Amino acid sequence: MAYGYPGGVTFPVVGMVGGGQLARMTHEAGIPLGIKFKLLSDTPQDSAAQVVGDVVIGDYRDLDTLRSFARGCDVITFDHEHVPTEHLRALEADGIPVRPGPDALVHAQDKGVMRARLDAIGVPCPRHRIVSDPADVERFAAEGAGFPVILKTVRGGYDGKGVWVVRSSKEAAEPFRAGVPVLAEEKVDFARELAANIVRSPHGQAVAYPVVESIQVDGVCDTVIAPAPGLDPELAGQAQELALRIAQELDVVGHLAVELFETADGRILVNELAMRPHNSGHWTQDGAITSQFANHVRAVLDLPLGDPRPRARWTVMANVLGGDYPDMYYAYLHCMARDPQLKIHMYGKDVKPGRKVGHVNTYGDDLADVRERAAHAAGYLRGTITE
Amino acid sequence: MAYGYPGGVTFPVVGMVGGGQLARMTHEAGIPLGIKFKLLSDTPQDSAAQVVGDVVIGDYRDLDTLRSFARGCDVITFDHEHVPTEHLRALEADGIPVRPGPDALVHAQDKGVMRARLDAIGVPCPRHRIVSDPADVERFAAEGAGFPVILKTVRGGYDGKGVWVVRSSKEAAEPFRAGVPVLAEEKVDFARELAANIVRSPHGQAVAYPVVESIQVDGVCDTVIAPAPGLDPELAGQAQELALRIAQELDVVGHLAVELFETADGRILVNELAMRPHNSGHWTQDGAITSQFANHVRAVLDLPLGDPRPRARWTVMANVLGGDYPDMYYAYLHCMARDPQLKIHMYGKDVKPGRKVGHVNTYGDDLADVRERAAHAAGYLRGTITE
């Protein structure tokens, strides 16, 4: 890498593609690191574009735009997984380090590729198969998965979008309408959802965060508890090892979130992979020695990684979703007054019902108290709690 | 205040005058708060201008520039104390809240005004008097202060600049050459220096951080230890009460740093005041529940203040000064590798010998270890420690 920091100080330029809240919080974490952060954002109103100094407005799907953006950067990384693989290969051919690289990132972009690869390296997954039509879904269920079956478009889904739960092949027409490949998965009768988050650098250093519990509501992450309460230490270790092994086998660089199902009989199965800072790691901003965002920046620059250990017995993250009222400012003021220890993280996004517009972190020794404080603040900001 | 956040979300715009590292770190702290941060900076290369999205390049000494900048802001606050008082009054007359206001800020701008006011409210200070020439310095010494005498220009000094220690009236010519008022102060035979940092909001809410020890080298802050080791709890309480009283009497809004001398016989005397985030409060970024920067933003917006309590038994801040070698990147990499818990804060400034270009924070239970880690990192980055 040829570092080109203005004024002769050779601190590098990290280019991030995508202007969402993950880029916003990565910029925040990059400021103390002294790195220069450059953003490619769709619009100037995007969450990160509001706060970053060096912003290029452009379309990441346009290769010329990406190439021009990348020329000012020492490394390219991502707020989202939507950049076409062939564009990433073109950047690499231009000599720009892309981290995670296209060969790794495809596993977070394409659920079919991900499942095939995890099978090949012996990672436990729910039963799954690419299906071609509703009759094929029927066969998949009959082969042992049973109904309901989960159908997912292999590309482009998130936060419950691009995902269907069907009770019979009669309900399975819609996922096939777009003409894109569809993955069928068994509906796992899980006890709870976990996430094993790790960060890996190009030279292979890796750190593992404590395994967390992730509580979803309507397919959207609602609450994360770090560490996962009552988790068998052996299973926690297995989950961390699994995430580290996936990162190594897939050559992931940066933050890797491995979303897991914990079954009632004490097994873990991989649900999803994300190769970027992830909602299940937001607790680290206030609850770990080094946040996922700081470690992601350190990893993509091949800097030594920071200590991932927790700073508190318990940390709870609760997402703030938009409610009916577009102005959160007075609710925000109320939350600060009620709980002077509350850590609020707002994304600068317009409030729309159900949209993630921020999150709160709380921490302490008493889990019930820590959870109540996070839930109250998130609910109050959304407008579902009115006292 | 009429909040004008784009997109209908009524989060306010904080305008900060001055593009130094304090503005850089205030922006960093403002990102999670969801506020919009606007900067008036001398040049695009300034520390904060590199990382802030909304930057106006201009001269704060020009009233038209200030007025135009302020029109887009809901409140104006400061990275430094150099904005002329009459300009601040003009902004107030335009209806822009200025926090701290000119009547408070003048006490941090003019050491003569500060001393007179502290005398009037009964705050203990070193012996002092405005002096007119070297013969007058002789008289000041003879009246009881004795030599050496400290001479300070009443305006414009910082980090040892604008300050002289004279052993006789023969050495006292230089301070008078500029033709600006000069304050004489006794050289206090102090045991150590402390700082009592508080944050106060317009409606009078205030929080006090633990009193810290500040170790100066060649007139520049080198190390801050939080809390001050072995400080008599009664004296710590007195120092906090003193800082809160000064803030109330002077109507300070935002962060107030009260730099103190602790005498060998257990008294405290006020050395300096700063009405902005301050070097003696940088430890709060990693060592307190709410940082001085976040609380400064909350205060100037009259939001409820965050908890100032420490998160660790000991936190140590060490300033990183420039050394002979302009490129710190490999030293920085070494420090990260040596101490994965180290918190580095770089300012993006060109390295010049003796210039503050960053700081490090360390924390833990063992003070000797925490101090060694901070001192090693700061020394290694400067180039004075080579292993």
Side-chain angles (χ1 to χ4, degrees):
Chain A
M1 268 189 236
Y3 298 128
Y5 204 72
V9 184
T10 60
F11 279 61
V13 181
V14 172
M16 192 170 240
V17 178
Q21 63 263 27
L22 300 177
R24 180 183 176 101
M25 294 185 277
T26 305
H27 175 54
E28 179 194 342
I31 292 173
L33 291 171
I35 60 114
K36 195 157 161 63
F37 189 81
K38 195 173 163 180
L39 184 73
L40 179 62
S41 183
D42 289 343
T43 81
Q45 287 77 42
D46 285 2
S47 176
Q50 295 171 23
V51 298
V52 173
D54 191 355
V55 183
V56 173
I57 303 302
D59 185 347
Y60 63 83
R61 289 162 298 197
D62 177 66
L63 181 56
D64 288 341
T65 299
L66 264 184
R67 276 196 154 127
S68 159
F69 172 73
R71 270 196 288 275
C73 302
D74 293 301
V75 62
I76 294 292
T77 188
F78 309 97
D79 167 85
H80 58 65
E81 288 128 348
H82 308 321
V83 183
T85 303
E86 60 273 21
H87 288 8
L88 301 180
R89 292 201 200 287
L91 294 183
E92 283 196 326
D94 290 348
I96 308 288
V98 174
R99 293 172 176 169
D103 292 333
L105 200 61
V106 67
H107 299 92
Q109 295 175 314
D110 188 308
K111 298 183 207 301
V113 174
M114 182 263 284
R115 286 292 179 222
R117 181 81 172 126
L118 294 185
D119 284 350
I121 62 173
V123 168
C125 292
R127 288 164 192 255
H128 59 90
R129 184 157 68 69
I130 298 289
V131 286
S132 52
D133 56 34
D136 203 14
V137 175
E138 186 77 46
R139 281 190 295 276
F140 172 74
E143 280 159 17
F147 279 107
V149 164
I150 314 277
L151 297 176
K152 298 176 174 178
T153 55
V154 296
R155 282 183 177 255
Y158 67 98
D159 279 357
K161 295 173 186 69
V163 178
W164 297 263
V165 183
V166 300
R167 282 162 227 275
S168 73
S169 58
K170 290 190 194 78
E171 294 177 20
E174 194 189 336
F176 296 96
R177 271 184 201 129
V180 295
V182 173
L183 179 73
E185 293 185 349
E186 71 171 314
K187 187 168 189 306
V188 176
D189 185 23
F190 58 84
R192 61 176 170 175
E193 292 186 70
L194 304 173
N197 292 341
I198 68 99
V199 181
R200 182 172 176 272
S201 65
H203 77 276
Q205 191 196 4
V207 293
Y209 287 99
V211 176
V212 299
E213 177 173 348
S214 170
I215 300 164
Q216 318 282 316
V217 174
D218 298 332
V220 177
C221 176
D222 181 84
T223 302
V224 170
I225 306 172
L231 181 62
D232 176 358
E234 180 142 345
L235 202 61
Q238 280 178 31
Q240 288 179 313
E241 280 169 30
L242 196 68
L244 290 167
R245 188 153 67 84
I246 292 170
Q248 189 181 354
E249 294 276 2
L250 275 50
D251 198 19
V252 177
V253 170
H255 188 266
L256 169 70
V258 180
E259 296 184 270
L260 298 161
F261 297 123
E262 182 185 7
T263 63
D265 58 349
R267 291 172 303 127
I268 48 176
L269 303 170
V270 172
N271 181 17
E272 302 274 2
L273 303 182
M275 296 182 192
R276 49 170 172 75
H278 188 258
N279 203 162
S280 63
H282 289 358
W283 70 274
T284 61
Q285 292 175 303
D286 301 296
I289 294 172
T290 313
S291 79
Q292 64 165 346
F293 300 102
N295 261 339
H296 184 78
V297 169
R298 290 163 75 147
V300 302
L301 290 170
D302 209 7
L303 286 167
L305 302 178
D307 193 326
R309 283 177 298 169
R311 287 196 72 174
R313 174 82 188 87
W314 299 106
T315 304
V316 171
M317 191 284 317
N319 277 322
V320 177
L321 303 186
D324 294 329
Y325 192 57
D327 184 353
M328 280 191 181
Y329 195 69
Y330 290 95
Y332 161 93
L333 193 153
H334 163 93
C335 291
M336 286 185 179
R338 182 181 194 262
D339 182 358
Q341 295 179 46
L342 183 71
K343 308 307 287 186
I344 302 183
H345 299 263
M346 301 301 293
Y347 305 156
K349 291 159 79 169
D350 288 351
V351 173
K352 292 176 188 170
R355 185 186 203 190
K356 284 183 194 167
V357 296
H359 67 271
V360 295
N361 286 330
T362 53
Y363 54 83
D365 290 328
D366 176 346
L367 179 57
D369 173 67
V370 173
R371 284 192 71 167
E372 188 281 332
R373 288 164 48 217
H376 185 279
Y380 199 91
L381 286 162
R382 187 178 189 173
T384 51
I385 295 173
T386 52
E387 89 53 36
Chain B
M1 270 190 236
Y3 298 127
Y5 204 71
V9 183
T10 60
F11 279 61
V13 180
V14 173
M16 192 169 240
V17 178
Q21 63 263 27
L22 300 176
R24 181 185 176 101
M25 295 186 277
T26 304
H27 175 56
E28 180 194 340
I31 292 173
L33 290 172
I35 59 115
K36 195 157 161 62
F37 188 82
K38 194 173 165 181
L39 183 74
L40 178 62
S41 183
D42 289 343
T43 82
Q45 287 76 42
D46 285 2
S47 177
Q50 296 171 24
V51 299
V52 172
D54 191 354
V55 183
V56 173
I57 303 301
D59 185 348
Y60 62 83
R61 289 162 296 198
D62 178 67
L63 181 56
D64 288 342
T65 300
L66 264 184
R67 275 195 154 128
S68 158
F69 172 73
R71 269 195 288 275
C73 302
D74 294 300
V75 63
I76 295 291
T77 188
F78 309 97
D79 167 84
H80 58 66
E81 288 127 350
H82 308 323
V83 183
T85 304
E86 61 273 22
H87 288 8
L88 300 180
R89 292 202 201 286
L91 295 183
E92 282 196 326
D94 290 349
I96 308 288
V98 173
R99 293 173 177 168
D103 292 332
L105 200 61
V106 68
H107 299 92
Q109 294 176 314
D110 187 309
K111 297 183 208 301
V113 174
M114 181 263 283
R115 286 292 179 223
R117 181 82 173 124
L118 295 185
D119 284 350
I121 63 174
V123 168
C125 293
R127 288 163 191 258
H128 59 89
R129 183 156 71 68
I130 297 289
V131 285
S132 52
D133 55 34
D136 202 17
V137 175
E138 187 77 44
R139 281 189 293 278
F140 173 73
E143 281 160 17
F147 279 107
V149 164
I150 314 277
L151 298 176
K152 298 175 173 178
T153 55
V154 298
R155 280 183 177 257
Y158 65 98
D159 279 357
K161 293 170 188 74
V163 178
W164 296 263
V165 183
V166 300
R167 281 163 227 275
S168 73
S169 58
K170 290 190 195 78
E171 294 178 21
E174 195 190 334
F176 297 96
R177 274 190 197 124
V180 295
V182 174
L183 179 73
E185 293 184 350
E186 72 172 314
K187 187 169 189 306
V188 176
D189 184 24
F190 57 83
R192 61 175 170 176
E193 293 186 67
L194 305 172
N197 292 340
I198 69 98
V199 181
R200 181 173 177 271
S201 64
H203 78 275
Q205 190 195 7
V207 293
Y209 286 100
V211 176
V212 299
E213 177 174 348
S214 170
I215 300 165
Q216 317 283 316
V217 175
D218 299 331
V220 178
C221 176
D222 181 86
T223 302
V224 169
I225 306 172
L231 181 63
D232 176 0
E234 181 143 342
L235 201 62
Q238 281 177 30
Q240 289 179 314
E241 279 169 31
L242 195 68
L244 291 166
R245 188 152 67 86
I246 292 170
Q248 190 180 354
E249 294 278 2
L250 275 52
D251 198 19
V252 178
V253 170
H255 188 267
L256 169 70
V258 181
E259 295 184 271
L260 298 162
F261 297 123
E262 181 184 7
T263 64
D265 58 347
R267 292 173 302 127
I268 48 175
L269 302 171
V270 171
N271 180 18
E272 303 273 3
L273 302 182
M275 295 182 191
R276 49 171 171 74
H278 188 258
N279 204 162
S280 63
H282 289 358
W283 70 274
T284 60
Q285 291 175 304
D286 301 297
I289 294 172
T290 313
S291 79
Q292 64 166 347
F293 299 102
N295 262 338
H296 183 78
V297 169
R298 288 162 76 147
V300 302
L301 290 171
D302 210 6
L303 287 165
L305 301 178
D307 194 326
R309 283 177 299 169
R311 286 196 72 175
R313 174 81 187 87
W314 298 107
T315 303
V316 171
M317 189 284 318
N319 276 322
V320 177
L321 303 187
D324 295 328
Y325 192 57
D327 183 355
M328 281 193 181
Y329 195 69
Y330 290 95
Y332 161 93
L333 193 152
H334 163 93
C335 291
M336 287 185 177
R338 183 181 192 263
D339 184 358
Q341 295 180 45
L342 183 70
K343 307 308 286 186
I344 302 184
H345 299 263
M346 300 301 292
Y347 305 156
K349 291 160 79 170
D350 287 353
V351 173
K352 292 178 189 169
R355 185 186 204 190
K356 284 182 194 168
V357 297
H359 68 272
V360 295
N361 286 331
T362 53
Y363 54 83
D365 291 329
D366 177 345
L367 179 56
D369 173 67
V370 173
R371 285 194 70 168
E372 188 281 331
R373 288 164 49 217
H376 185 280
Y380 198 91
L381 286 162
R382 188 176 187 176
T384 52
I385 295 173
T386 53
E387 85 56 31

